[in-house]
């Protein structure tokens, strides 16, 4: 046998085959390949496996022949073999080697632990770095007076508010009563806590993350840090700074130092920062002299002076409740005894606010309006930020127009009011007015009152609680044109839209029907009857004529036909605040029982002047805080509230009111004017809201006892039996607009396009037998032989003609309602000098079928059961 065929000796060295061995079938050595292979030795210790096959001789020969040609392929094979060998161990084994499926991507527990330790270490390092680099400034450096500056529309300075009454005092110069009251109100565990409220901070961060408003700091230390060292912005970065400064202060200062800093930097309202300034502003004493009752009141202001300052009548009940709660807490923490607490049985009313001299006249009301706008449009700015200073606020107010509006009011008051001669009638007379550019929304002028220097602090231009009377009727007409009446259906099955030629019953004390034809029933179970200003029987008149002479009956019925809620919705679309509206379900809703501010009435009428586009009123164009412009100020995009044809047709009707109806005093303006008068129940307010294409102005007049904030009747004011919107308010409007528009071109209103159809009220006779609706050149119907006269204009030779119903006739002169239409031989001329009916609040009317209405004023809710709804004055 060839040597090459000889069996390989046993690795054990004894030359014997291992038992059961036999590499070749039938006895071949296991170290040899098959008969066609070439024998070779295995490396010692290497076992033959399927992954390591042995080549036969023929294969080896072929491989040798191809060695030269296949160098490249050999290199590739070598590289493949090299890749098959285990690689070097990776520092981070991820994705995990040797794992398949989801396990390849799941970190091992070692990796989880390593990652956690790494993140935790970085966090600890970051916290340590931030803590070490956070510096706490000295308290005395905080007393750097800054001003908040207000500018006119032409960017000239209007006024400025600065911190001139803040001073740092020692803790011993602050009454212990105030110290304990503040702890009881804000942080009862102050003496023992760590200065940090983790839950409160996490809650604040969570609220910021979801976009909500954050809550204030929970501990006195945190509040002190926020007030003294940081801005009032609710941002994550500020909360982080607050956290580290709080930690440092809590470690570096004792509790008395922290309390001293807090009481010296807290905002108490009235422009007062610090306890000493607050004590002087509210009680005229030094902080060390505050008694227990006064201290509890001041401590209550720290939660928000805008909500707890009892100077504002709306806050009084809330302030008294918090004051009592703080006193009870002082007993709870044993700061006072129950006997000491019992001595505070009467709320300590603050002294009157001492206004700054640079806030006299109308300036304080302009600043108030601008501040409200800033606070509503930028949640990062609070009243405390404004009082702290550093802002530049650019307004829309035009100085020449503000001066002209004030002069118009002052001149009319001087000519008509004499408090010395008529102290019971000419005192406490209030005016509120707003002037707005209708296509823009910019408030160019306001009249807010007699001035803070005269003790008048409320802004009458933004007053609430003053009913608007018949100035609300255009909203009803606009709804009928835009939405339609439910008593008639169009081809599309929807309520039929009507126009101003539609005729409605105008007889005094007419029954009112619901849209389904059933009677409106009063609270007493009898049919409700609506009263007009006068007792004449006018029959069916057009809505144009009804608006011209401000008849009540047609609009109360029209409101039923279109639906009170639809009217409310249209009013809101036009710019009225929803919360200022009365209950739209009441029958007297269309007569102006709502209490809308002069600013919002001007806004809504501005929608008519702008052909249906509502522009939100604004008073600030730009705000600069510490050199940085704040976003979100200036003109907003207008919204379409009414179809242009609807708005223009309502304007056309209101032009007729100014030219021939209750607003004829505006003729002196010498240019096209549209508007509407309004007088309310018991003559408690009188309005005129009018406009030209360039400017809309509302003027409200009422009487109010400032000590009780109760509305009083205007009857007897100026020596007149009653005051109507067409009288003093229209006079103020005309005088102001003459000056305000002196340099403006005379513009005509748009020619109205046709809208709706003439849909008469149920029961109206055919056109051939009725009085035609007046147009701009129409004369009043036969029942009214003459148009209204100017108050001082010579009247026709009827000796009893003394007033013009709907303009200056007394609204409360008691007469008896006629049982039949006026006879031609009457000594008065309807709509010229006929006396009016008694109001429901004075007596019930025969056939009225209802009890008297709830006395008006102050926004009282009307009852649809009242015989006359609102007083006759509401028709103006």
């Amino acid at each position: 046998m060839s040597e090459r065929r000889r069996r390989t000796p046993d690795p054990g060295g004894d030359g014997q085959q291992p038992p059961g061995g036999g590499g070749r079938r039938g006895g071949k050595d296991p170290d040899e390949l098959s008969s066609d292979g070439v024998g070779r030795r295995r490396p010692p210790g290497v076992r033959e496996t399927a992954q390591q096959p042995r080549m036969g001789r023929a294969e080896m020969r072929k491989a040798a022949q191809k060695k030269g040609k296949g160098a490249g392929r050999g290199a590739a094979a070598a590289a493949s073999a090299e890749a098959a060998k285990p690689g070097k161990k990776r520092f981070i084994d991820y994705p995990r080697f040797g794992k398949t499926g989801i396990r390849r991507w799941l970190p091992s527990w070692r990796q989880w632990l390593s990652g956690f330790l790494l993140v935790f270490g970085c966090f600890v390092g970051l916290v340590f770095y931030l803590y070490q680099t956070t510096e706490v400034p000295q308290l005395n450096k905080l007393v750097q007076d800054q001003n908040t500056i207000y500018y006119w529309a032409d960017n000239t300075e209007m006024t400025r508010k600065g911190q001139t009454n803040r001073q740092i005092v020692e803790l011993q110069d602050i009454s212990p009563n105030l110290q304990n009251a503040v702890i009881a109100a804000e942080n009862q565990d102050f003496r023992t806590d760590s200065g940090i409220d983790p839950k409160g901070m996490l809650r604040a961060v969570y609220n910021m993350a979801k976009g909500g408003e954050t809550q204030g700091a929970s501990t006195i230390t945190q509040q002190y840090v926020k007030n003294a060292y940081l801005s009032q912005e609710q941002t994550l970065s500020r909360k982080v700074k607050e956290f580290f400064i709080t930690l440092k202060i809590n470690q570096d200062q004792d509790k008395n130092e922290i309390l001293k800093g807090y009481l010296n930097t807290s905002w108490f309202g009235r422009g007062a920062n610090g306890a000493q300034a607050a004590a002087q502003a509210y009680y005229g004493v030094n902080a060390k002299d505050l008694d227990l009752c006064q201290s509890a009141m001041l401590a209550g202001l720290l939660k928000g002076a805008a909500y707890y300052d009892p100077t504002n009548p709306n806050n009084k009940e809330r302030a008294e409740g918090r004051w009592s709660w703080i006193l009870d807490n002082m007993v709870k923490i044993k700061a006072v005894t129950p006997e000491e607490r019992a001595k505070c049985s009467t709320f300590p009313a603050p002294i009157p606010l001492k206004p700054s001299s640079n806030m006299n006249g109308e300036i304080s009301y302009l600043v108030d309006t601008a501040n409200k706008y800033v606070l509503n449009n930028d949640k990062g700015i609070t009243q405390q930020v404004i009082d702290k200073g550093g802002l530049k606020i650019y307004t829309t107010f035009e100085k020449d127009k503000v001066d002209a509006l004030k002069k118009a009011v002052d001149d009319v008051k001087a000519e008509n009011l004499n408090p010395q001669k008529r102290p019971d009638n000419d005192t406490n007379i209030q005016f509120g007015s707003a002037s707005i550019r209708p296509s823009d929304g910019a408030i160019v002028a306001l009249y807010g009152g007699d001035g803070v220097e005269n003790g008048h602090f409320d802004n009458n231009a933004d007053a609430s609680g003053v009913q608007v009377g018949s100035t609300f009727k255009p909203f009803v007409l606009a709804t009928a044109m835009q939405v339609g009446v439910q008593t008639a259906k169009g081809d599309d099955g929807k309520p039929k839209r009507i126009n101003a030629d539609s005729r409605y019953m105008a007889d005094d004390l007419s029954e009112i029907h619901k849209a389904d034809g059933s009677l409106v029933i009063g609270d007493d179970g009898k049919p409700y009857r609506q009263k007009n200003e006068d007792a004449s029987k006018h029959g069916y008149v057009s809505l144009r004529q009804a608006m011209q002479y401000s008849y009540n009956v047609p609009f109360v019925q029209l409101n039923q036909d279109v639906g009170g809620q639809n009217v409310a919705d249209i009013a809101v679309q036009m710019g009225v605040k929803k919360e200022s509206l009365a209950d739209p379900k009441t029958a007297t809703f269309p007569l102006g029982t709502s209490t809308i501010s002069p600013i919002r009435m001007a806004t809504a009428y501005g929608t008519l002047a702008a052909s249906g586009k509502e522009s939100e009123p604004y008073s600030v164009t730009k705000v600069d805080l510490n050199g940085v412009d704040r976003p979100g100020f200036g003109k907003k995009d207008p919204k379409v509230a009414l179809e242009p044809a609807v708005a223009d047709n309502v304007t056309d009707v209101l032009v007729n009111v100014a030219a021939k109806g209750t607003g004829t005093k505006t003729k002196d303006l010498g240019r096209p004017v549209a508007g509407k008068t309004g007088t309310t129940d018991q003559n408690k307010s009188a309005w005129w809201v009018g406009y030209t294409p360039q400017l809309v102005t509302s003027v409200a007049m009422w009487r109010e006892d400032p000590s009780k904030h109760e509305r009083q009747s205007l009857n007897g004011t100026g020596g007149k039996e009653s005051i109507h919107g067409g009288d003093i308010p229209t006079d103020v409007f005309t005088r102001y607009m003459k000056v305000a528009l002196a340099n403006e071109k005379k513009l005509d209103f748009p020619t109205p396009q046709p809208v709706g159809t003439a849909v008469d009220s149920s029961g109206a006779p055919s056109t051939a037998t009725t009085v035609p609706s007046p147009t701009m050149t129409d004369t009043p119907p036969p029942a009214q032989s003459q148009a209204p006269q100017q108050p001082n204009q010579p009247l026709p030779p009827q000796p009893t003609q003394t007033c013009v119903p709907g303009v200056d006739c007394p609204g409360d002169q008691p007469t008896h309602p006629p049982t039949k239409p006026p006879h031609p031989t009457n000594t008065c001329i309807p709509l010229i000098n006929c006396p009016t009916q008694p109001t429901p609040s004075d007596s019930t009317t025969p056939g009225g079928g209802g009890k008297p209405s709830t006395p008006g004023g102050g926004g009282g809710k009307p009852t649809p059961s009242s015989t006359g709804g609102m007083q006759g004055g509401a028709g103006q």
Side-chain angles (χ1 to χ4, degrees), residues 493-683:
K494 295 181 180 179
K496 199 165 188 178
R497 300 168 63 178
I498 69 175
N499 60 27
D501 292 325
S502 302
R503 296 173 301 152
Y504 271 70
M505 170 57 70
D507 286 352
D508 185 49
L509 295 175
S510 293
E511 293 179 340
I512 303 300
H513 296 77
K514 298 178 182 178
D516 61 6
S518 62
L519 288 171
V520 173
I521 304 299
D523 291 343
D524 56 2
K526 297 180 181 180
Y528 172 79
R529 294 177 181 271
Q530 179 58 51
K531 179 175 174 48
N532 284 329
E533 170 73 9
D534 67 328
S536 299
K537 300 297 182 181
H538 306 290
Y540 284 87
V541 301
S542 70
L543 292 174
R544 179 188 299 276
Q545 182 181 348
M547 188 77 75
Q548 177 179 338
Y549 297 108
S550 203
Y551 299 146
N552 290 338
V553 173
F555 288 98
V556 172
Q557 183 61 63
L558 182 61
N559 180 74
Q560 292 290 327
D561 292 351
V562 300
Q565 188 57 55
N566 289 330
V567 174
D569 293 342
I570 288 293
V572 170
Q573 289 177 207
M574 293 174 66
V576 171
K577 287 291 187 180
K578 183 177 181 179
E579 55 269 24
S580 66
L581 292 174
D583 185 357
K585 298 183 181 67
T586 58
T588 54
F589 177 65
L591 301 183
T593 55
S594 299
T595 55
I596 306 168
S597 71
I599 290 177
R600 284 292 168 174
M601 284 303 292
T603 300
Y605 273 58
T607 300
L608 298 174
S611 294
K613 292 183 179 179
E614 187 266 337
S615 296
E616 275 294 292
Y618 70 101
S619 58
V620 176
T621 60
K622 177 183 175 184
V623 174
D624 179 302
L625 176 58
N626 296 323
V628 179
D629 285 348
R630 306 288 295 188
F633 293 98
K635 178 183 177 181
K636 304 296 189 298
D637 293 334
K639 297 176 293 185
V640 176
L642 298 174
E643 293 180 9
V646 170
D648 293 343
N649 272 273
V650 175
T651 292
D652 187 56
V653 172
L654 298 184
V655 167
N656 193 50
V657 172
K660 292 181 175 244
T662 56
T664 53
K665 278 193 174 183
T666 60
K667 287 182 178 180
D668 292 343
L669 191 56
R671 63 174 68 216
V673 179
K676 184 70 184 75
T677 53
T679 308
T680 60
D681 191 16
Q682 300 180 23
N683 203 203

Side-chain angles (χ1 to χ4, degrees), residues 15 59 94 125 131 168 215 240 252 304 445 462 523 574 620 647 842 854:
E59 291 174 320
Y94 191 83
Y131 181 82
I168 302 297
Q215 297 177 345
V240 171
D252 299 341
D462 197 27
D523 291 343
M574 293 174 66
V620 176
D842 297 329
T854 303

Side-chain angles (χ1 to χ4, degrees), residues 761-781:
S761 177
S762 176
S766 63
T767 306
T769 60
T770 58
V771 179
S773 299
T775 63
M776 292 297 292
T777 59
D778 284 336
T779 57

Side-chain angles (χ1 to χ4, degrees), residues 277-487:
Q280 289 287 344
Y282 285 93
Y283 294 109
V285 300
N286 290 321
K288 64 181 179 180
D289 298 324
L290 290 167
D291 62 29
L292 174 62
C293 306
Q294 295 169 338
S295 296
M297 198 289 290
L298 291 179
L301 298 173
L302 295 174
K303 189 175 179 65
Y307 297 99
Y308 293 97
D309 183 352
T311 305
N312 185 338
N314 296 328
N315 293 342
K316 188 174 181 181
E317 183 178 350
R318 184 165 45 229
E320 291 180 357
R322 183 162 175 79
W323 170 75
S324 179
W325 176 81
I326 291 173
L327 289 170
D328 292 340
N329 275 357
M330 294 181 72
V331 175
K332 179 180 176 182
I333 66 174
K334 295 181 171 47
V336 297
T337 65
E339 292 75 20
E340 290 172 324
R341 189 261 181 265
K343 294 178 181 179
C344 291
S345 57
T346 303
F347 183 78
I351 62 176
L353 179 65
K354 297 178 180 179
S356 174
S357 60
N358 63 347
M359 289 289 154
N360 290 346
E362 298 307 301
I363 297 297
S364 65
Y365 310 123
L366 301 178
V367 167
D368 173 75
T369 303
N371 285 349
K372 285 181 179 178
Y373 187 81
V374 170
L375 296 174
N376 289 335
N377 285 271
D378 192 331
K379 298 304 181 183
I381 298 179
T382 64
Q383 186 63 50
Q384 183 177 355
V385 173
I386 294 175
D387 284 350
K388 190 174 182 180
L391 288 93
K392 294 180 179 179
I393 298 176
Y394 296 82
T395 74
T396 59
F397 305 126
E398 300 178 20
K399 187 177 187 306
D400 58 337
K401 291 182 173 59
V402 172
D403 293 342
L405 184 54
K406 177 174 172 52
K407 186 177 187 304
V409 174
D410 290 345
D411 289 349
V412 169
K413 288 169 63 177
E415 294 176 13
N416 292 274
L417 306 180
N418 190 336
Q420 290 73 33
K421 183 178 179 180
R422 293 179 294 270
D424 295 335
N425 300 105
D426 289 5
T427 56
N428 300 331
I429 303 300
Q430 304 290 336
F431 286 85
S433 181
S435 189
I436 297 177
R437 296 197 183 279
S439 59
D440 180 84
I443 306 173
V444 298
L446 294 175
Y447 182 86
D450 292 334
V452 293
E453 70 276 16
N454 295 315
H456 185 85
F457 301 101
D458 295 335
N459 183 358
N460 288 349
D462 197 27
S464 59
V466 182
Q467 294 181 335
V468 299
S470 290
T471 56
F472 197 84
K473 289 175 181 175
F475 303 143
V476 184
L477 180 60
T479 306
M481 292 181 174
Q482 175 107 352
V483 178
V485 292
Q486 303 174 46
T487 53

Side-chain angles (χ1 to χ4, degrees), residues 127-182:
V127 170
F128 179 78
Y129 171 79
L130 293 175
Y131 181 82
Q132 290 297 114
T133 56
T134 299
E135 295 183 0
V136 180
Q138 295 297 317
L139 179 61
N140 289 336
K141 293 182 180 179
L142 301 172
V143 188
Q144 298 176 352
D145 290 341
Q146 297 186 77
N147 290 302
T148 290
I149 307 174
Y150 300 84
Y151 296 89
W152 295 105
D154 62 1
N155 293 337
T156 58
E157 185 174 322
M158 177 198 304
T159 190
R160 58 177 62 199
K161 288 180 72 173
Q163 294 302 319
T164 58
N165 62 344
R166 176 173 62 183
Q167 55 182 304
I168 302 297
V169 296
E170 296 299 324
L171 191 62
Q172 59 263 30
D173 292 326
I174 299 175
S175 168
N177 290 317
L178 181 59
Q179 297 178 37
N180 291 327
V182 168

